[in-house]
């Protein structure tokens, strides 16, 4: 087990052009559900919500849009961060006329 992974290894393993890339996981020594990756949200509509037993943090890398945590909807743009606490339904969408929202996400045990 090696405690790191390169972007080239991620693309070789998961394929090019993916919407979501998972970086760190149990394969790299993460425990208690720890994981990280990136996801690109190009839809102008909110999609299915994620709900997890752990907390998930987000950092916006690109684009402009909206995040939804349960019933709370708020604007997001490059450089913003937010957290979905355990059991909170969450999803993201891109603002019409803007570049897709790309986020770095991470799960951590509670």
């Amino acid at each position: 087990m090696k405690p790191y992974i390169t972007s080239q290894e991620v693309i070789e393993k998961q394929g090019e052009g993916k919407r979501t890339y998972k970086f760190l996981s149990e394969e790299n020594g993460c425990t208690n559900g720890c994981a990280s990756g990136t996801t690109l949200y190009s839809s102008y509509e909110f999609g299915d919500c994620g709900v997890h037993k752990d907390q998930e943090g987000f950092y916006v890398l690109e684009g402009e849009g909206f995040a939804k945590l349960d019933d709370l909807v708020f604007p997001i743009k490059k450089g913003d961060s937010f957290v979905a606490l355990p059991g909170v339904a969450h999803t993201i969408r891109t603002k019409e006329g803007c570049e897709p929202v790309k986020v770095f996400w991470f799960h951590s045990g509670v």
Side-chain angles (χ1 to χ4, degrees), residues 30-52:
C30 291
T31 60
N32 298 325
C34 172
S36 71
T38 60
T39 299
L40 183 68
Y41 295 87
S42 57
S43 177
Y44 298 133
E45 301 292 328
F46 286 121
D48 293 336
C49 291
V51 180
H52 312 290

Side-chain angles (χ1 to χ4, degrees), residues 53-71:
K53 292 180 181 179
D54 63 352
Q55 56 194 347
E56 184 175 10
F58 298 86
Y59 177 76
V60 181
L61 298 169
E62 300 172 0
E64 190 174 344
F66 297 91
K68 183 177 182 182
L69 303 176
D70 282 337
D71 293 328

Side-chain angles (χ1 to χ4, degrees), residues 41 58 60 62-68 74-82 91-95 101-103:
Y41 295 87
F58 298 86
V60 181
E62 300 172 0
E64 190 174 344
F66 297 91
K68 183 177 182 182
F74 54 95
I76 56 173
K77 65 182 183 317
K78 181 179 177 178
D80 292 348
S81 294
F82 61 97
T91 187
I92 297 171
R93 73 172 184 86
T94 294
K95 182 178 177 181
V101 174
K102 183 177 185 179
V103 297

Side-chain angles (χ1 to χ4, degrees), residues 8 28 90:
Q8 181 178 346
N28 308 98
H90 54 280

Side-chain angles (χ1 to χ4, degrees), residues 2-52:
K2 64 180 191 173
Y4 66 92
I5 191 163
T6 68
S7 58
Q8 181 178 346
E9 290 171 322
V10 169
I11 291 170
E12 287 174 0
K13 182 177 180 180
Q14 298 174 32
E16 258 186 89
K18 298 287 186 181
R19 179 178 168 261
T20 296
Y21 284 104
K22 193 169 187 179
F23 299 131
L24 300 178
S25 66
E26 289 179 358
E27 292 178 12
N28 308 98
C30 291
T31 60
N32 298 325
C34 172
S36 71
T38 60
T39 299
L40 183 68
Y41 295 87
S42 57
S43 177
Y44 298 133
E45 301 292 328
F46 286 121
D48 293 336
C49 291
V51 180
H52 312 290

